[in-house]
């Protein structure tokens, strides 16, 4: 899959670790050591794909440097970190409702070891994806600072109304948390219907000058009861130029995240 994206022109490939957690692996009978090794392996696989791609390019093109790296096409590996709701697999990553028992400290301790492993696994950056609420954004920001993690990160939120993140928290407040975190180098939106992207980009731009990243979905909605995606919107009925107009202010763009 990574090679397919690279062949299609991607400059960043994201590891298959979005829903991979130490707690989740342990619940399936893996030891802690095995769970941690699987997280590292997700980064290794992406890095291996990058090397295979570079080798292909070197055979097919003269456009590479003396070190053997392609001069015009850098490829970065982003280690994916999914939300607490992705671990729960109950649809809460699309609602942001974790209940009153889940605190800031709960989230930090849940994510801490996984983030440390991924940060030291050889990835170029960390992608905190589909962040559903302000509390989890704050947990990520504090965790990056507390652990002194030095590789860059991006925060990407999801929305179902084009104004707030899925929990109802203001996208302005969530993006402000990302903006205030030194380790965060880009802020954006993913897993969100294309029809909301224009307004969300404009909102994010109000509170940060950091690059904006966008990788919307196809317009479908996740049904937590059925545990499946259902059609709720089609690009066929939405003028593509209205989606593309605000992209001049974006640095990282992808169609589609799902």
């Amino acid at each position: 899959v990574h090679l397919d994206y690279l062949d299609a022109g991607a400059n960043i490939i994201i590891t298959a670790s979005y829903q991979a957690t130490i707690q989740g692996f342990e619940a399936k009978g893996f030891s802690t050591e095995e769970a941690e090794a699987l997280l590292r392996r997700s980064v290794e696989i992406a890095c291996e794909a990058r090397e295979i791609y570079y080798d292909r390019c070197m055979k097919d093109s003269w456009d590479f440097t003396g070190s053997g790296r392609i001069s015009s096409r850098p490829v970065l590996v982003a280690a994916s970190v999914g939300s607490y709701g992705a671990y729960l697999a109950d649809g809460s990553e699309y609602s942001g409702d974790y209940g009153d028992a889940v605190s800031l400290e709960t989230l930090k301790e849940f994510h801490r070891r996984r983030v440390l492993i991924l940060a030291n696994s050889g990835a170029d950056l960390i992608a905190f994806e589909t962040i559903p609420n302000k509390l989890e954004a704050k947990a990520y920001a504090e965790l990056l600072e507390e652990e002194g993690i030095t590789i860059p990160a991006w925060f990407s939120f999801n929305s179902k109304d084009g104004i707030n993140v899925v929990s109802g928290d203001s996208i302005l407040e969530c993006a402000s948390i990302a903006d205030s975190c030194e380790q965060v180098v880009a802020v954006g939106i993913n897993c969100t219907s294309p029809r909301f992207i224009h307004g969300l980009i404009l909102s994010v731009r109000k509170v940060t000058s950091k690059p904006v990243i966008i990788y919307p979905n196809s317009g479908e909605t996740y049904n937590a009861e059925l545990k499946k995606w259902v059609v709720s919107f089609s690009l066929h009925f939405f003028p593509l130029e209205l989606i593309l107009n605000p992209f001049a202010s974006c640095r990282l763009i992808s169609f589609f995240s799902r």
Side-chain angles (χ1 to χ4, degrees):
V1 173
H2 292 314
L3 283 170
D4 288 342
Y5 277 99
L6 291 174
D7 288 339
N11 292 99
I12 300 175
I13 50 177
I14 302 176
T15 62
S17 54
Y18 172 80
Q19 207 165 9
T21 65
I22 295 171
Q23 298 88 337
F25 285 130
E26 288 177 337
K28 294 296 183 180
F30 291 91
S31 68
T32 300
E33 292 74 19
E34 290 171 328
E36 293 180 354
L38 287 170
L39 287 173
R40 294 187 186 95
R41 185 61 184 145
S42 71
V43 176
E44 291 170 359
I45 290 171
C47 291
E48 288 168 5
R50 175 171 60 184
E51 291 305 312
I52 292 171
Y53 176 75
Y54 281 152
D55 288 343
R56 285 182 185 174
C57 292
M58 288 176 63
K59 293 176 182 178
D60 298 337
S61 174
W62 291 99
D63 186 21
F64 60 90
T65 65
S67 64
R69 287 288 181 265
I70 307 303
S71 62
S72 60
R73 176 82 182 288
V75 173
L76 301 177
V77 171
S80 173
V81 174
S83 68
Y84 179 68
Y87 156 73
L88 296 176
D90 60 358
S92 57
E93 65 189 297
Y94 304 111
S95 70
D97 184 6
Y98 296 158
D100 295 336
V102 176
S103 66
L104 180 67
E105 291 303 317
T106 302
L107 293 175
K108 285 199 292 186
E109 292 314 305
F110 172 81
H111 289 295
R112 190 179 301 275
R113 183 59 185 161
R114 173 171 60 152
V115 171
L116 283 170
I117 289 170
L118 292 173
N120 292 283
S121 61
D124 299 298
L125 66 158
I126 304 176
F128 293 94
E129 305 185 277
T130 323
I131 305 173
N133 56 46
K134 182 169 66 174
L135 184 67
E136 198 149 25
K138 187 175 181 181
Y140 289 146
E142 291 190 7
L143 189 56
L144 289 171
E145 294 174 1
E146 289 173 5
E147 296 297 336
I149 293 173
T150 57
I151 71 169
W154 81 53
F155 280 14
S156 183
F157 302 91
N158 57 336
S159 172
K160 57 188 176 184
D161 63 5
I163 301 173
N164 306 302
V165 298
V166 292
S167 65
D169 293 333
S170 166
I171 185 64
L172 296 174
E173 294 179 6
C174 291
S176 293
I177 291 172
D179 181 69
S180 66
C181 182
E182 183 178 350
Q183 292 91 334
V184 175
V185 297
V187 188
I189 306 295
N190 77 293
C191 203
T192 296
S193 175
R195 58 178 166 159
F196 296 133
I197 296 302
H198 177 276
L200 290 167
I201 292 172
L202 297 179
S203 294
V204 170
R205 273 293 180 216
K206 291 179 181 178
V207 295
T208 184
S209 60
K210 293 180 179 181
V212 175
I213 59 173
I214 51 171
Y215 44 122
N217 61 25
S218 62
E220 295 172 305
T221 301
Y222 187 75
N223 186 309
E225 293 183 2
L226 299 176
K227 292 188 179 296
K228 63 183 293 186
W229 290 87
V230 296
V231 176
S232 61
F233 174 75
S234 172
L235 276 176
H236 180 72
F237 298 108
F238 196 78
L240 188 60
E241 63 270 17
L242 294 185
I243 301 173
L244 295 177
N245 278 341
F247 285 8
S249 63
C250 297
R251 295 288 294 277
L252 301 174
I253 305 168
S254 173
F255 284 103
F256 290 99
S257 63
R258 189 193 165 278

